[in-house]
Amino acid sequence: MDQVSQQKSPAARRPTIADIAKIVGVSKVSVSNALNGQPGVSDATRAKVVAAAEELGFVRNSAARALSGAKAAAVGLALCRPARMLGTEPFFMELIGGIEKVLSDASYSLALQVVPDHDRGLEAYRRWWGERHIDGAILVDLRENDARVPALEEMGLPTVVIGHPSGAGTLTPVWSDDAAAVRETMEYLAALGHQRVARVAGLTGLVHTSLRDHAFAEACADLGLQAQPVVHTDYTGEEGARATRRLLLSAGRPTAVLYDNDIMAVAGLSVAQEMGLQVPRDLSIVAWDDSPLAQVVRPPLTALSRDIHAYGANAARTLLALVTDRRAAGYEDLAPRLTPRGSTAPPAA
Amino acid sequence: MDQVSQQKSPAARRPTIADIAKIVGVSKVSVSNALNGQPGVSDATRAKVVAAAEELGFVRNSAARALSGAKAAAVGLALCRPARMLGTEPFFMELIGGIEKVLSDASYSLALQVVPDHDRGLEAYRRWWGERHIDGAILVDLRENDARVPALEEMGLPTVVIGHPSGAGTLTPVWSDDAAAVRETMEYLAALGHQRVARVAGLTGLVHTSLRDHAFAEACADLGLQAQPVVHTDYTGEEGARATRRLLLSAGRPTAVLYDNDIMAVAGLSVAQEMGLQVPRDLSIVAWDDSPLAQVVRPPLTALSRDIHAYGANAARTLLALVTDRRAAGYEDLAPRLTPRGSTAPPAA
DNA sequence: GCCAGGCGCTTAACCGATTAACTACCGAGA
DNA sequence: TCTCGGTAGTTAATCGGTTAAGCGCCTGGC
């Protein structure tokens, strides 16, 4: 009786190459070769094998395959954000969409984990790599002196860093020239006649934040604009609103604000309107990252648009190359381009 | 020379239980038992094994483990959305955040794939399950007569459906009572004195859309409100804006609109303001799903809020129970609750 | 007529862990 | 003294594939 209960129900057993081999009347190896397009199998045999596999509904057991040294056909992404912040940012969903597109065309899948901090993220990468769940990884939210970079280098995990080469160590970077975008924006605002431009930035410590901070300060100096405070936030609408309120109440308030994402820009727009300021007459607003959101508000926001989907796709393509050839060149994507809309104009008076 | 090149570089080889066995001087089996907390190993031996494993940086090869019948410790989610729509909806990111939270606490990971349509989604589930990559699945965007339901049933893949039981077949549903939320909202609007309430709905064919449509029609009838058109959209701000424009230009325009998500509600708000209507004096707006976005616009939007993070967490918990015990009860989450804010008021005259 | 070489297929060994079955030993109870 | 039972370990077989090596057989070139 015990033996019966230990036996798997027949329906539950999934067909293996051995089953196919028995049906066709050849060895396991021939079946394996036939199904994998390896040479050494006659067309007739191959056809019979394929037919039998089809009929049995055969699916490769990738565990067994992996055990014999095959690829995992997956890459990992540990997204390090407090859960609360995830929903608000369109950026990552679009990025993931782009990554996914390329991966699934190559029959790769994406292992995704949302983690609260970088340590947990590193842990996820380590586990995936150790367990051979993934062949490569994508690193986002690059911080200055990011501890994950040397750790991943040491692990030998093929990794693409979404972020500036300066912080990527020997890992392969995929990035866009944020400094150029800041410069372009500042020149545009200066040309409109703005003298006091403020910046509502994202998290300090992130490489791209400080790159933009830098470029912002430099542009102010070069263009002879008055130094305005840079306010750092956590990217949420709430903090964007608070930062805006503070800026607009300060003496010598700015006539233009550059926001580090569109959520904050929209929040800032609301605050300005609430305070009785007209946009763009009294305040010009520029959003970093363009999304439908930036276009549906009134006035529609002048934004630094970039094709995030393509950005993700390029990262995935680079990673696939890295996984396959063990090496790949970094990739510089297009710089975000300024898309003027109704939220920017010369300052009144 | 050929032999040399075939040999793996020594650094690349990862330690196995055999290596540990050799060091400690016991058999592989004892190492396995020691590391898994199985009985039959003395404390002294166990300690030595653990120490050696630590020192070697041993990580279990889960492929080998899976081959011996272990769980994959992962669940799958094929997100079926055109890429373009992903970024705009906070819903899924929050949902995934909630799912992830529970999964990662249980050391499970999430296999995510973004697919263009349901067929490709089903394909992904089939592949994952066939390859033993996942132990269970989560199904979202449930359609009426969804072909994926019978397919997953037949595959025997433990699945939690996020959606109403009526469409889930024998799969385990996790849902919330949308009809009740619609009723509550309509009663509230009727109590404010609205006679003409319109609805800007999501995609037709989705189970929850038609449930809401139904509840909407029923509530109109019960409350003696004038029948107003229901406009179906693809959830984007653009379509939300267009639908709103159409509604506001129609004869006997509505005094209140219920939107199926917050993006469209925000877009609708902008359209109304653009057309010179005051919200809420001339038009009341209610958004389905509350997000920071709904709160940062002016006026802040009255919304049907629900804890999406918790919703995802409950789904994941249910799935884990299903995977572990091969059975689990469905779970009805809290109905979305109406959160009145500044966008609703009695209609002007 | 002999050998080289390619084709189609086979057997053997292996990947790294798990489970089953069996052995050796020690102490306690009859 | 013999047996029973439990502990701590062993060896062998298994999961489902892949790779390496080898074996007939046929063809073609000299």
Side-chain angles (χ1 to χ4, degrees):
Chain A
M1 269 320 202
D2 272 359
Q3 286 144 334
V4 172
S5 72
Q6 277 164 19
Q7 186 190 327
K8 300 251 167 67
S9 88
R13 243 201 97 252
R14 295 169 164 272
T16 71
I17 54 168
D19 298 325
I20 300 177
K22 206 182 305 168
I23 291 180
V24 179
V26 294
S27 70
K28 286 198 316 178
V29 175
S30 293
V31 174
S32 171
N33 287 333
L35 293 174
N36 291 320
Q38 296 296 109
V41 187
S42 68
D43 288 351
T45 304
R46 192 182 302 271
K48 276 193 278 185
V49 166
V50 169
E54 193 94 4
E55 201 202 341
L56 263 60
F58 170 78
V59 194
R60 254 185 211 81
N61 182 328
S62 72
R65 179 173 242 208
L67 196 49
S68 305
K71 294 221 170 291
V75 304
L77 170 61
L79 212 46
C80 168
R81 299 252 133 164
R84 165 181 67 93
M85 235 180 286
L86 266 177
T88 57
E89 274 208 289
F91 179 84
F92 279 106
M93 266 309 211
E94 288 215 36
L95 189 75
I96 289 172
I99 292 171
E100 260 298 342
K101 174 77 179 69
V102 170
L103 289 184
S104 68
D105 284 355
S107 288
Y108 266 63
S109 60
L110 178 72
L112 180 79
Q113 191 142 357
V114 180
V115 294
D117 55 56
H118 277 17
D119 285 345
R120 295 287 300 270
L122 194 50
E123 216 171 84
Y125 287 123
R126 191 164 272 137
R127 185 168 71 96
W128 283 333
W129 181 233
E131 295 182 344
R132 283 92 170 157
H133 264 325
I134 58 172
D135 302 319
I138 294 179
L139 197 67
V140 294
D141 282 333
L142 190 62
R143 276 214 291 246
E144 296 185 291
N145 300 112
D146 199 311
R148 298 173 303 170
V149 170
L152 290 169
E153 283 171 343
E154 201 213 308
M155 283 162 58
L157 172 58
T159 303
V160 162
V161 172
I162 296 195
H164 197 264
S166 65
T170 62
L171 303 176
T172 309
V174 170
W175 77 102
S176 62
D177 190 350
D178 282 14
V182 171
R183 240 181 344 261
E184 185 185 356
T185 306
M186 297 300 284
E187 283 165 6
Y188 164 74
L189 292 173
L192 286 178
H194 290 274
Q195 281 295 315
R196 297 187 306 279
V197 180
R199 164 168 153 80
V200 174
L203 282 176
T204 48
L206 294 180
V207 167
H208 73 259
T209 301
S210 76
L211 279 174
R212 294 179 193 177
D213 283 351
H214 231 226
F216 179 77
E218 214 167 74
C220 282
D222 289 355
L223 298 164
L225 304 181
Q226 284 179 37
Q228 287 284 321
V230 171
V231 188
H232 290 95
T233 69
D234 65 359
Y235 290 113
T236 59
E238 289 93 324
E239 291 215 359
R242 189 158 52 235
T244 307
R245 220 169 275 124
R246 184 142 37 110
L247 287 171
L248 295 184
L249 290 173
S250 65
R253 63 170 177 76
T255 58
V257 182
L258 172 54
Y259 291 86
D260 244 0
N261 73 4
D262 45 3
I263 296 283
M264 294 195 295
V266 170
L269 172 64
S270 290
V271 166
Q273 289 171 339
E274 202 177 22
M275 291 174 72
L277 297 179
Q278 274 200 31
V279 175
R281 208 184 63 100
D282 305 318
L283 182 73
S284 284
I285 287 179
V286 180
W288 199 293
D289 279 339
D290 201 358
S291 73
L293 180 58
Q295 295 167 50
V296 297
V297 295
R298 299 297 134 184
L301 302 182
T302 295
L304 283 161
S305 19
R306 49 180 169 169
D307 189 340
I308 301 171
H309 193 85
Y311 197 34
N314 286 326
R317 251 189 298 274
T318 305
L319 181 55
L320 286 182
L322 190 60
V323 165
T324 313
D325 311 335
R326 302 296 300 175
R327 62 213 204 73
Y331 184 89
E332 176 169 5
D333 215 318
L334 297 171
R337 53 180 198 296
L338 186 67
T339 308
R341 296 207 187 87
S343 69
T344 43
Chain B
M1 267 318 202
D2 272 357
Q3 286 145 334
V4 171
S5 72
Q6 277 164 20
Q7 186 190 327
K8 299 249 164 68
S9 89
R13 240 199 101 253
R14 293 165 168 273
T16 71
I17 55 170
D19 298 325
I20 300 177
K22 206 181 304 170
I23 292 180
V24 179
V26 293
S27 70
K28 285 196 321 179
V29 175
S30 293
V31 173
S32 172
N33 287 333
L35 292 174
N36 290 319
Q38 296 296 111
V41 187
S42 69
D43 288 351
T45 304
R46 193 183 302 271
K48 276 192 279 185
V49 167
V50 170
E54 193 95 6
E55 201 204 341
L56 263 59
F58 170 78
V59 193
R60 252 186 213 78
N61 181 329
S62 72
R65 183 173 236 209
L67 198 49
S68 305
K71 295 219 169 293
V75 304
L77 171 61
L79 212 47
C80 167
R81 299 251 133 167
R84 162 182 69 94
M85 239 182 281
L86 264 176
T88 57
E89 273 209 288
F91 179 84
F92 279 105
M93 265 311 212
E94 288 216 36
L95 189 76
I96 290 172
I99 292 170
E100 260 298 341
K101 175 79 178 67
V102 170
L103 289 184
S104 69
D105 284 356
S107 290
Y108 266 62
S109 58
L110 178 72
L112 180 79
Q113 192 142 357
V114 180
V115 294
D117 55 56
H118 277 17
D119 285 343
R120 296 287 300 268
L122 194 50
E123 214 171 85
Y125 287 124
R126 190 163 273 138
R127 184 166 72 96
W128 283 332
W129 180 233
E131 295 181 345
R132 281 90 169 161
H133 261 326
I134 59 173
D135 302 318
I138 294 179
L139 197 66
V140 294
D141 283 333
L142 189 62
R143 276 213 291 245
E144 298 185 290
N145 300 111
D146 200 312
R148 298 174 303 171
V149 171
L152 289 170
E153 282 171 344
E154 202 214 305
M155 283 162 60
L157 172 59
T159 304
V160 162
V161 173
I162 297 196
H164 197 265
S166 66
T170 63
L171 302 176
T172 308
V174 171
W175 78 103
S176 62
D177 190 351
D178 282 15
V182 170
R183 241 181 343 261
E184 185 185 356
T185 307
M186 296 302 284
E187 283 164 7
Y188 163 74
L189 291 173
L192 286 178
H194 290 275
Q195 281 294 316
R196 295 189 306 279
V197 181
R199 163 168 155 78
V200 174
L203 281 177
T204 48
L206 294 181
V207 167
H208 72 259
T209 301
S210 76
L211 279 174
R212 294 179 193 177
D213 283 351
H214 230 229
F216 179 77
E218 213 166 74
C220 281
D222 290 354
L223 297 165
L225 304 180
Q226 285 179 34
Q228 286 284 323
V230 170
V231 188
H232 290 96
T233 69
D234 65 358
Y235 290 111
T236 59
E238 289 94 325
E239 290 214 359
R242 188 159 50 233
T244 307
R245 219 168 277 125
R246 183 140 40 107
L247 287 171
L248 296 183
L249 290 174
S250 65
R253 64 171 177 76
T255 58
V257 181
L258 172 54
Y259 291 87
D260 243 0
N261 75 4
D262 46 2
I263 297 285
M264 294 195 293
V266 170
L269 172 64
S270 291
V271 166
Q273 290 171 339
E274 203 179 20
M275 291 174 70
L277 297 180
Q278 273 200 30
V279 176
R281 208 185 62 101
D282 305 318
L283 183 72
S284 284
I285 286 179
V286 180
W288 199 293
D289 281 339
D290 200 359
S291 73
L293 178 60
Q295 295 167 49
V296 297
V297 294
R298 297 299 136 184
L301 301 182
T302 295
L304 283 162
S305 19
R306 50 180 170 169
D307 189 339
I308 300 171
H309 193 84
Y311 197 35
N314 286 325
R317 252 189 298 274
T318 305
L319 181 56
L320 286 182
L322 191 61
V323 165
T324 314
D325 311 335
R326 300 298 299 175
R327 62 212 203 74
Y331 185 89
E332 176 169 5
D333 215 316
L334 297 172
R337 53 181 198 297
L338 186 67
T339 308
R341 296 207 186 87
S343 69
T344 43

